[in-house]
Amino acid sequence: MAKEIRTIGVMTSGGDAPGMNAAIRAVARACAYYNVKCIGFYRGYQGMIEGDYTVMNARSVRNIISRGGTILKSARSVDFKTPEGRKKAADQLKEIGVEAMVLIGGDGTFRGGQIFSEEYDIPVIGVPGTIDNDIAGTNYTIGYDTALNTVISAIDKIRDTASSHNRLFFVEVMGRDAGFIALNSGVGAGAEEILIPEEDLGLDRLLESLKRSKRSGKSSSIVVVSEGDKTGKNVYELADYVTENLPDYEVRVTVLGHMQRGGSPSCFDRTLASRLCVKAVELLLDGEKNVMVGIINNEITATSFDDGLREGHEINKELLRISDILST
Amino acid sequence: MAKEIRTIGVMTSGGDAPGMNAAIRAVARACAYYNVKCIGFYRGYQGMIEGDYTVMNARSVRNIISRGGTILKSARSVDFKTPEGRKKAADQLKEIGVEAMVLIGGDGTFRGGQIFSEEYDIPVIGVPGTIDNDIAGTNYTIGYDTALNTVISAIDKIRDTASSHNRLFFVEVMGRDAGFIALNSGVGAGAEEILIPEEDLGLDRLLESLKRSKRSGKSSSIVVVSEGDKTGKNVYELADYVTENLPDYEVRVTVLGHMQRGGSPSCFDRTLASRLCVKAVELLLDGEKNVMVGIINNEITATSFDDGLREGHEINKELLRISDILST
Amino acid sequence: MAKEIRTIGVMTSGGDAPGMNAAIRAVARACAYYNVKCIGFYRGYQGMIEGDYTVMNARSVRNIISRGGTILKSARSVDFKTPEGRKKAADQLKEIGVEAMVLIGGDGTFRGGQIFSEEYDIPVIGVPGTIDNDIAGTNYTIGYDTALNTVISAIDKIRDTASSHNRLFFVEVMGRDAGFIALNSGVGAGAEEILIPEEDLGLDRLLESLKRSKRSGKSSSIVVVSEGDKTGKNVYELADYVTENLPDYEVRVTVLGHMQRGGSPSCFDRTLASRLCVKAVELLLDGEKNVMVGIINNEITATSFDDGLREGHEINKELLRISDILST
Amino acid sequence: MAKEIRTIGVMTSGGDAPGMNAAIRAVARACAYYNVKCIGFYRGYQGMIEGDYTVMNARSVRNIISRGGTILKSARSVDFKTPEGRKKAADQLKEIGVEAMVLIGGDGTFRGGQIFSEEYDIPVIGVPGTIDNDIAGTNYTIGYDTALNTVISAIDKIRDTASSHNRLFFVEVMGRDAGFIALNSGVGAGAEEILIPEEDLGLDRLLESLKRSKRSGKSSSIVVVSEGDKTGKNVYELADYVTENLPDYEVRVTVLGHMQRGGSPSCFDRTLASRLCVKAVELLLDGEKNVMVGIINNEITATSFDDGLREGHEINKELLRISDILST
């Protein structure tokens, strides 16, 4: 049955992530290798609905492995959340002759794909591409490693000026619901404190820690704050609060923002994207469907959407302990 | 008379800039070469007032040419603005035996140095170190070139995600009084519009330009905004204004902030810092004083503080025209 | 018994790797956290023999997490291979009061440490720091991830010029005995062919593959070659051989060399170094000895030197297959 | 007369350089702005001869400003050196309707263009694009600044490992006939010695300098060597010579090679390319011909090919003196 698949579609959806182009390349090249036609849809589900696509061959993806962004563009589709929208998408696939889909994106993308696949019996495979790393079915999502390097490179620069001026910086990084980026980049950047959604440090302990840091002779400090941290204050309010309570500190704020989503992907993200997407194509050709691929304990795996998304991928709280020890 | 100088002091003051360490290194090495003792004061004028210093030799500055920030730290000294503060600084120099100073910083640093030098007859030479490039006595200040590269590298990343999502980004860069960074990085990053303090584009023309851009098929746009631009709105208000008036655009804001001050200096800034500071030491040894060094038409020059600071260094408005043509 | 350790020594040995400074920092900070004295020996075993050391506290390692190289310097010690050399080292440790050692380096470092520990009953813990990734007791060595990013960044630049001129480049990367760097960077850089010590592609197949690549319309190609590849030819001979046999190709060679060992470490290497070294100190304090720490399936582990070094860490040959598919 | 030009061609020729894409973009966008048709020829003169071209509009050059290499590819054309070749090129231009050319490249490109223009009365404007900076008619060529940053970034990494191991590195950089890259990157990287074609340091003085460096306590050294330096030895022979004569040093060699030609261009190179190419198009439209554009003392200029190429652009020997002082 699997052998019958002659056309595979691919798209990128949700927030874009570095390595999505490497993933698209791997899908297109794997299709070429297995003599399967490859159709790239633009703007995620919206392109499927609108029939906005391009035929991809091995040469269409030349020299994109090193580029940030996604040549297929990404979007969040409101239409696809409606039965009418999904109907249109299914009709388009039928008309174009697309028999299976590789969906590159995050949890929202996968949930949409699962519903769609069940409604129309079209095999889909999810490939985790998001800088947030918040998917249970994989240890690492595509784009996460690059985002970490972008963040620490920015904080290294901020550290230069923080040290020169004996300042305290609050640096907000992405991660509305998950502290992966904050926690790992905070340890990597040698931050004095890390505030994440998963753990409420408490404002008192933050002040205490900063006071201790000052007493120990540290003249500058970096606090990495996840967008969705649990203090109940946003990063500017936090800075004000600390300024009021620790007048010795000269406080500054930097919100890193969308640059975290761009940039040339790291080697880790490129090889991860390559391995996951070859696997995704091979799984489809083997008759597999409605799973997400991932990397678990260095093995490429396939996990049902239900299991892959059931609970949030847990952060490594051990890193908070490491951070405490190292910011001595 | 000039030959009598046996001890030269050096400090960094004002906002720090990449290349300040390369400058310090060049002062220390030039002093060693000419058998002059070199004293490095910490935290600019404040370290001179407090007698907070270190003796520097050729080895003290090993391997710092590539590092951002300043090993001598920087500060803005309130005390030095008072006659009492300057008196203390002069007493400290006398006690330590420092007979002349190299002052690395911006216009505020130079003005303070000029007053100090006149009050106490201590020769000083100013070295322009600031990312803002807003000093008339030099075509380029140390740190400016690196800041430009940091900005375009960040905007390149933002462009990745802007293109992927068909978004309009407002990117705020440093430059409260001068649009050098915005103008040059805007052209370098291929921004669709550039807003600077020196030229009031007008909100109507901004909207018009963005509409035209949309009509011409551009799906994403970058607007680079200098901190002190003349629209009368800050960058977030600008974004809101455009969102209201151009509902087709999905608008986002990034404030690049202090990362612009850090990072390993570019080759241009390292060689500029090296050339300016060797010259500064040689000028002092030749009996020169109360001038700033600079690079004008590729020559290393000395300009009196009065001339060097008299009027703001003018931006190249030709670049606005270039930007208009290229954002077609 | 373990509680009695009051002084821990640390050194870096063998080829240096990015992240060694992050590792040193973590040892010094963990010692400070646990109120243990920390002694840093210079130039690996040679510094132990010569008693060339420095007392390290939390502040000695400030701001080094982002720096390449090793502030303790590294060396390969001939003297330590002799019983006399090891005797001197043991005497020095005794005199200084060092009761246990953290050894940061590769397999040679660990083997030396194991002999030394057995001879003098001094607990040692090995921390894998080498760009080669060739140690069985860990999935990743400190420095490997950074080296991969350095390599792909260089190859991305070479690809720019290769594409512009339709050329074939042979790029030699480090890895005399192991193809980890070549294999992973080759996939990450999208290389057309990868030559590694573990697999003899054969010159005929190389020519065949390049011919096929040309026929498929590829105008430029990158072949990544590990130092110790199995063709029996060095990279320059390979280039000559291909030039003779495929006169259509304009062939060039780049040997990346020692820049692969330097540079600011990636976030992955910094957090890995931090986690491994905190663990190393904690193991010593818990009475553990003569093991190497590592990361296996995302867990920090301790493995006996015998097991950790018994057989070479095997490369992931699946990646060769991926490379074949993607270089279609 | 000039107003009659309705179609302008553009090509890139000779060794490729970062910023060539920014230059192509500026030509295409300026043509669009002035309502002139733009034709891009592939592989320099060879594409003109073969009629291998593409019609370019404002959108063809979208998002290429940040990319290394040249989307029009480059080549050195043997055919164009023959009257027959040039005849074919002129016939092609006539057939396609191209009335004037913008030639992006180095001195060889310009000389070819001058002959061609005189033979067939086709206006051409040369734009200096080469990393070598060896053209008299401009202070800076496009690509030079980026190459310098690439070189110092590589040497910074080599310095990390050189310092860790107390080694002496010879680093060969590009510049067969001109020492611009070696001299400026050598000062920027803080090299202990710089060997360039324009100045014969002499092997004895090199040895003397390295000995002095060792005596002064320097444990590692970097010698930057231009490809065409005047010692009569290549970089490997130099290393052998020093090893024989200074056995204390552990010597290593790195040849940076073609990575110097690639990479995302610096802000300086992007704005330079933008300014020069807008000017080139405007000059053609104003009836100017057979000149090269350049930047001289911060002004965009037009210089006759004869003047622009007459004598080599002289290096700034002052920098050798600076290097001597700073490598104290």
Side-chain angles (χ1 to χ4, degrees):
Chain A
M1 180 180 69
K3 282 171 201 136
E4 294 169 30
I5 291 183
R6 277 154 308 181
T7 305
I8 291 178
V10 59
M11 53 78 125
T12 50
S13 172
D16 61 316
M20 280 188 162
N21 276 328
I24 294 166
R25 169 183 179 267
V27 173
R29 292 270 167 95
C31 285
Y33 182 85
Y34 289 113
N35 288 312
V36 174
K37 195 171 169 186
C38 181
I39 301 290
F41 289 94
Y42 291 105
R43 293 171 296 125
Y45 289 122
Q46 200 58 30
M48 285 166 62
I49 292 171
E50 300 174 13
D52 184 13
Y53 69 92
T54 183
V55 178
M56 308 191 84
N57 59 32
R59 294 182 63 177
S60 328
V61 292
R62 195 196 305 192
N63 285 358
I64 67 167
I65 195 173
S66 61
R67 288 198 202 138
T70 154
I71 61 170
L72 291 178
K73 296 177 184 289
S74 186
R76 289 185 170 84
S77 172
V78 176
D79 296 346
F80 197 75
K81 297 195 169 166
T82 66
E84 296 74 27
R86 293 193 294 275
K87 172 75 165 61
K88 280 189 197 164
D91 289 347
Q92 288 284 0
L93 293 196
K94 198 167 183 185
E95 194 179 312
I96 303 164
V98 172
E99 295 152 329
M101 286 293 304
V102 176
L103 311 170
I104 305 167
D107 52 358
T109 306
F110 293 177
R111 279 184 230 280
Q114 186 175 20
I115 295 170
F116 180 68
S117 171
E118 284 163 4
E119 285 178 347
Y120 295 99
D121 193 26
I122 294 172
V124 307
I125 305 276
V127 176
T130 161
I131 63 168
D132 292 333
N133 205 38
D134 55 349
I135 295 179
T138 188
N139 295 151
Y140 298 103
T141 55
I142 299 165
Y144 171 60
D145 184 66
T146 305
L148 290 180
N149 284 328
T150 298
V151 170
I152 64 165
S153 166
I155 300 184
D156 286 350
K157 289 186 174 70
I158 292 169
R159 176 77 75 181
D160 283 342
T161 186
S163 301
S164 299
H165 282 279
N166 295 342
R167 281 175 177 156
L168 165 61
F169 271 85
F170 284 87
V171 181
E172 187 190 277
V173 301
M174 284 190 163
R176 215 172 293 275
D177 306 307
F180 287 99
I181 293 180
L183 187 51
N184 279 271
S185 69
V187 171
E192 274 68 22
E193 282 296 341
I194 303 169
L195 306 180
I196 55 173
E198 290 85 351
E199 180 104 349
D200 190 354
L201 178 68
L203 290 170
D204 289 347
R205 277 189 50 205
L206 175 63
L207 291 183
E208 210 43 63
S209 158
L210 291 172
K211 275 185 210 162
R212 201 170 48 238
S213 192
K214 192 90 176 181
R215 277 198 303 271
S216 81
K218 285 221 176 185
S219 53
S220 67
S221 288
I222 303 282
V223 179
V224 173
V225 185
S226 199
E227 277 174 315
D229 88 291
K230 277 291 172 294
T231 55
K233 295 179 183 292
N234 74 29
V235 68
Y236 291 102
E237 293 166 347
L238 266 176
D240 288 344
Y241 180 81
V242 168
T243 302
E244 277 166 38
N245 287 278
L246 299 175
D248 278 3
Y249 269 110
E250 199 182 343
V251 183
R252 294 286 183 280
V253 170
T254 289
V255 176
L256 289 184
H258 281 77
M259 56 180 283
Q260 295 168 79
R261 294 203 177 283
S264 181
S266 68
C267 191
F268 186 96
D269 278 332
R270 298 185 195 184
T271 53
L272 178 62
S274 300
R275 294 171 72 188
L276 292 180
C277 286
V278 168
K279 183 71 171 183
V281 169
E282 292 178 343
L283 284 171
L284 285 174
L285 298 181
D286 285 349
E288 190 64 79
K289 60 181 178 180
N290 303 355
V291 296
M292 63 167 285
V293 288
I295 184 165
I296 297 181
N297 294 343
N298 301 314
E299 297 290 330
I300 303 300
T301 54
T303 309
S304 73
F305 283 128
D306 281 339
D307 286 344
L309 299 174
R310 187 167 300 151
E311 65 216 56
H313 175 188
E314 275 189 30
I315 62 156
N316 180 351
K317 288 203 182 169
E318 170 77 6
L319 279 177
L320 279 179
R321 201 179 69 86
I322 299 284
S323 171
D324 275 352
I325 293 173
L326 297 186
S327 58
T328 303
Chain B
M1 182 182 66
K3 282 170 199 136
E4 295 169 27
I5 291 182
R6 278 153 309 182
T7 305
I8 289 177
V10 60
M11 54 79 124
T12 49
S13 172
D16 62 316
M20 279 188 162
N21 277 328
I24 294 166
R25 169 183 179 266
V27 173
R29 291 270 167 96
C31 284
Y33 182 84
Y34 288 114
N35 288 312
V36 174
K37 196 172 168 185
C38 181
I39 301 291
F41 289 95
Y42 291 106
R43 291 171 299 124
Y45 289 122
Q46 201 58 30
M48 285 166 61
I49 291 170
E50 300 174 13
D52 185 12
Y53 70 91
T54 182
V55 179
M56 307 192 85
N57 58 33
R59 295 182 63 176
S60 329
V61 292
R62 196 196 303 192
N63 286 358
I64 68 168
I65 195 171
S66 61
R67 287 196 204 142
T70 154
I71 60 168
L72 292 178
K73 297 179 181 286
S74 186
R76 288 184 172 86
S77 170
V78 176
D79 296 345
F80 196 75
K81 296 194 170 167
T82 67
E84 297 73 28
R86 293 194 293 275
K87 173 74 166 60
K88 279 188 197 163
D91 290 347
Q92 289 284 1
L93 294 196
K94 200 166 181 186
E95 193 179 312
I96 304 164
V98 172
E99 294 152 329
M101 286 292 304
V102 176
L103 311 170
I104 304 166
D107 52 357
T109 306
F110 292 176
R111 279 184 232 279
Q114 187 175 19
I115 295 170
F116 179 68
S117 171
E118 284 162 6
E119 285 178 347
Y120 295 99
D121 194 27
I122 294 170
V124 308
I125 305 276
V127 176
T130 161
I131 63 168
D132 292 334
N133 205 37
D134 56 348
I135 294 180
T138 189
N139 294 152
Y140 298 102
T141 55
I142 299 164
Y144 171 60
D145 184 66
T146 305
L148 290 180
N149 284 329
T150 298
V151 170
I152 65 166
S153 166
I155 300 183
D156 286 351
K157 290 188 174 69
I158 293 169
R159 177 77 76 180
D160 284 342
T161 186
S163 301
S164 300
H165 281 279
N166 296 342
R167 281 176 178 159
L168 166 61
F169 271 85
F170 284 87
V171 180
E172 186 190 278
V173 300
M174 285 191 163
R176 214 171 292 276
D177 306 307
F180 287 99
I181 293 180
L183 187 50
N184 279 271
S185 70
V187 171
E192 275 67 23
E193 282 296 340
I194 303 171
L195 306 180
I196 56 174
E198 290 85 351
E199 181 103 348
D200 189 355
L201 177 70
L203 290 169
D204 289 348
R205 278 189 50 204
L206 175 63
L207 291 183
E208 210 43 64
S209 158
L210 292 172
K211 276 184 210 162
R212 202 171 46 239
S213 191
K214 192 90 177 180
R215 277 197 305 271
S216 81
K218 285 220 175 186
S219 53
S220 67
S221 288
I222 304 283
V223 179
V224 172
V225 185
S226 198
E227 277 174 314
D229 88 291
K230 277 291 172 295
T231 54
K233 295 180 183 293
N234 74 29
V235 68
Y236 290 101
E237 293 167 346
L238 266 176
D240 288 345
Y241 180 83
V242 168
T243 302
E244 278 166 37
N245 287 278
L246 299 176
D248 278 3
Y249 269 109
E250 197 182 345
V251 184
R252 293 287 184 278
V253 170
T254 290
V255 176
L256 289 185
H258 281 78
M259 56 180 282
Q260 293 167 80
R261 294 202 178 283
S264 181
S266 68
C267 191
F268 187 95
D269 278 333
R270 297 186 196 183
T271 53
L272 178 61
S274 300
R275 293 172 72 188
L276 292 181
C277 286
V278 168
K279 184 69 169 185
V281 170
E282 293 178 342
L283 284 172
L284 285 174
L285 297 181
D286 286 348
E288 190 64 79
K289 60 182 178 179
N290 304 353
V291 297
M292 63 167 285
V293 288
I295 185 166
I296 298 181
N297 294 342
N298 301 314
E299 296 290 331
I300 302 302
T301 54
T303 309
S304 73
F305 281 128
D306 281 340
D307 286 345
L309 298 173
R310 187 167 298 151
E311 65 216 55
H313 175 189
E314 276 190 29
I315 61 157
N316 181 351
K317 288 203 182 167
E318 171 75 7
L319 280 177
L320 279 179
R321 202 179 69 85
I322 299 284
S323 171
D324 275 353
I325 293 172
L326 298 185
S327 58
T328 302
Chain C
M1 179 180 68
K3 282 169 200 137
E4 295 168 29
I5 290 183
R6 278 154 307 182
T7 305
I8 289 177
V10 59
M11 54 78 124
T12 50
S13 171
D16 61 316
M20 280 189 162
N21 277 328
I24 294 166
R25 169 183 179 268
V27 172
R29 291 270 167 95
C31 285
Y33 183 84
Y34 289 113
N35 289 312
V36 174
K37 195 172 170 186
C38 181
I39 301 291
F41 289 95
Y42 290 105
R43 291 171 299 124
Y45 289 121
Q46 200 59 28
M48 286 166 61
I49 292 171
E50 299 174 14
D52 185 12
Y53 69 93
T54 183
V55 179
M56 307 191 86
N57 58 33
R59 295 181 62 176
S60 328
V61 292
R62 194 196 305 193
N63 286 358
I64 67 168
I65 195 172
S66 61
R67 288 198 202 137
T70 154
I71 60 169
L72 292 178
K73 295 179 183 289
S74 185
R76 289 185 171 83
S77 170
V78 176
D79 295 347
F80 197 75
K81 298 195 169 167
T82 66
E84 295 75 27
R86 292 194 294 275
K87 173 74 164 62
K88 280 188 196 164
D91 290 347
Q92 289 285 0
L93 293 197
K94 199 167 183 186
E95 194 179 312
I96 303 164
V98 172
E99 294 152 329
M101 287 292 305
V102 176
L103 311 170
I104 305 166
D107 52 358
T109 305
F110 293 177
R111 280 185 230 278
Q114 186 175 20
I115 295 170
F116 179 68
S117 170
E118 284 163 6
E119 284 177 347
Y120 295 99
D121 193 25
I122 294 171
V124 306
I125 304 277
V127 176
T130 160
I131 63 168
D132 291 333
N133 205 37
D134 56 347
I135 295 180
T138 188
N139 294 152
Y140 298 103
T141 56
I142 300 165
Y144 171 61
D145 183 66
T146 305
L148 290 180
N149 284 328
T150 298
V151 169
I152 66 165
S153 166
I155 299 183
D156 285 351
K157 290 186 174 69
I158 292 169
R159 177 77 75 179
D160 283 342
T161 187
S163 301
S164 299
H165 281 279
N166 296 342
R167 281 175 178 157
L168 165 62
F169 271 84
F170 284 87
V171 181
E172 186 190 279
V173 300
M174 284 190 163
R176 215 172 292 276
D177 305 307
F180 288 98
I181 293 180
L183 187 51
N184 279 271
S185 70
V187 171
E192 275 68 22
E193 282 296 341
I194 302 170
L195 306 181
I196 55 173
E198 290 84 351
E199 180 102 349
D200 190 355
L201 178 69
L203 290 169
D204 289 349
R205 277 189 51 205
L206 174 64
L207 292 183
E208 209 44 63
S209 159
L210 292 172
K211 274 184 210 161
R212 201 171 47 238
S213 192
K214 192 90 177 181
R215 276 198 304 271
S216 81
K218 286 220 175 186
S219 53
S220 67
S221 288
I222 304 282
V223 179
V224 173
V225 185
S226 197
E227 278 174 314
D229 88 291
K230 277 291 173 295
T231 55
K233 296 180 184 291
N234 74 28
V235 68
Y236 290 101
E237 292 166 347
L238 266 175
D240 288 345
Y241 179 82
V242 169
T243 302
E244 276 166 38
N245 288 278
L246 298 176
D248 278 2
Y249 268 111
E250 197 182 344
V251 183
R252 293 286 183 280
V253 170
T254 289
V255 176
L256 289 184
H258 281 77
M259 57 181 282
Q260 294 167 81
R261 295 202 177 282
S264 181
S266 68
C267 191
F268 186 96
D269 277 331
R270 296 185 196 183
T271 52
L272 178 61
S274 300
R275 294 171 73 188
L276 292 180
C277 286
V278 167
K279 183 71 171 183
V281 169
E282 292 178 343
L283 285 172
L284 284 175
L285 297 182
D286 285 348
E288 189 63 81
K289 60 182 179 180
N290 303 354
V291 297
M292 63 167 285
V293 289
I295 185 166
I296 297 180
N297 294 344
N298 300 314
E299 298 290 331
I300 303 300
T301 53
T303 308
S304 73
F305 282 129
D306 281 340
D307 286 345
L309 299 173
R310 186 168 300 149
E311 65 216 54
H313 174 189
E314 273 191 31
I315 61 157
N316 180 350
K317 287 202 183 170
E318 170 76 5
L319 279 177
L320 279 178
R321 202 179 69 85
I322 299 284
S323 171
D324 274 353
I325 293 172
L326 297 185
S327 58
T328 302
Chain D
M1 179 182 68
K3 283 170 198 137
E4 296 169 27
I5 292 183
R6 279 154 307 182
T7 304
I8 290 177
V10 59
M11 54 78 125
T12 50
S13 171
D16 62 316
M20 279 187 162
N21 277 329
I24 294 166
R25 170 182 179 267
V27 172
R29 291 270 168 98
C31 284
Y33 182 85
Y34 288 113
N35 289 310
V36 174
K37 196 172 168 185
C38 181
I39 301 291
F41 288 95
Y42 291 105
R43 292 170 297 123
Y45 289 122
Q46 201 58 31
M48 287 166 60
I49 291 171
E50 299 174 14
D52 184 12
Y53 69 92
T54 182
V55 179
M56 308 191 85
N57 58 32
R59 294 182 63 177
S60 331
V61 292
R62 195 194 304 191
N63 286 358
I64 68 168
I65 195 172
S66 61
R67 287 197 204 139
T70 155
I71 60 169
L72 292 178
K73 296 178 184 287
S74 186
R76 289 186 171 81
S77 169
V78 176
D79 296 347
F80 197 75
K81 296 195 170 167
T82 67
E84 296 73 29
R86 292 193 295 274
K87 173 76 166 59
K88 280 187 196 164
D91 290 347
Q92 289 283 1
L93 294 196
K94 200 168 182 184
E95 194 178 313
I96 303 164
V98 173
E99 294 152 329
M101 286 294 303
V102 176
L103 311 170
I104 304 166
D107 52 357
T109 306
F110 293 178
R111 279 184 232 279
Q114 186 175 21
I115 295 170
F116 179 68
S117 171
E118 284 163 5
E119 285 177 349
Y120 294 99
D121 194 27
I122 293 171
V124 307
I125 305 276
V127 176
T130 160
I131 63 168
D132 291 334
N133 204 38
D134 57 347
I135 295 179
T138 189
N139 295 151
Y140 298 102
T141 56
I142 299 164
Y144 171 60
D145 184 65
T146 305
L148 290 180
N149 284 328
T150 299
V151 170
I152 65 165
S153 166
I155 299 183
D156 286 350
K157 290 187 174 70
I158 292 169
R159 176 78 75 180
D160 284 342
T161 186
S163 300
S164 300
H165 281 280
N166 296 342
R167 280 174 178 160
L168 166 62
F169 271 84
F170 285 87
V171 180
E172 186 189 278
V173 300
M174 284 192 163
R176 214 171 292 276
D177 305 307
F180 287 99
I181 293 179
L183 187 51
N184 279 271
S185 70
V187 171
E192 275 67 23
E193 283 296 340
I194 302 170
L195 306 180
I196 56 174
E198 291 86 350
E199 181 103 349
D200 190 354
L201 177 69
L203 290 170
D204 290 347
R205 277 189 50 205
L206 175 63
L207 291 183
E208 210 44 64
S209 158
L210 291 172
K211 275 183 210 162
R212 202 170 46 239
S213 191
K214 193 89 176 181
R215 276 198 304 271
S216 80
K218 287 221 175 187
S219 54
S220 67
S221 289
I222 303 283
V223 180
V224 172
V225 185
S226 197
E227 278 175 314
D229 89 292
K230 277 291 171 296
T231 54
K233 295 181 184 292
N234 74 29
V235 67
Y236 290 101
E237 292 166 346
L238 266 175
D240 288 345
Y241 180 82
V242 168
T243 302
E244 277 166 37
N245 287 277
L246 299 176
D248 277 3
Y249 269 109
E250 197 182 345
V251 183
R252 293 287 184 278
V253 170
T254 289
V255 176
L256 289 184
H258 281 77
M259 56 179 283
Q260 294 168 81
R261 295 202 177 283
S264 182
S266 68
C267 190
F268 186 96
D269 278 332
R270 296 186 196 184
T271 53
L272 178 62
S274 300
R275 294 171 73 188
L276 292 180
C277 286
V278 168
K279 183 72 170 183
V281 170
E282 292 178 342
L283 284 172
L284 285 174
L285 297 181
D286 285 348
E288 191 63 79
K289 60 182 178 180
N290 303 354
V291 296
M292 63 167 285
V293 289
I295 185 166
I296 298 182
N297 294 342
N298 300 313
E299 296 290 330
I300 303 300
T301 54
T303 308
S304 74
F305 282 128
D306 281 339
D307 286 345
L309 299 173
R310 189 167 299 150
E311 66 217 55
H313 175 189
E314 275 190 30
I315 62 156
N316 180 352
K317 288 203 182 169
E318 171 75 5
L319 279 178
L320 279 179
R321 200 178 71 85
I322 298 285
S323 171
D324 274 353
I325 293 172
L326 298 185
S327 58
T328 303

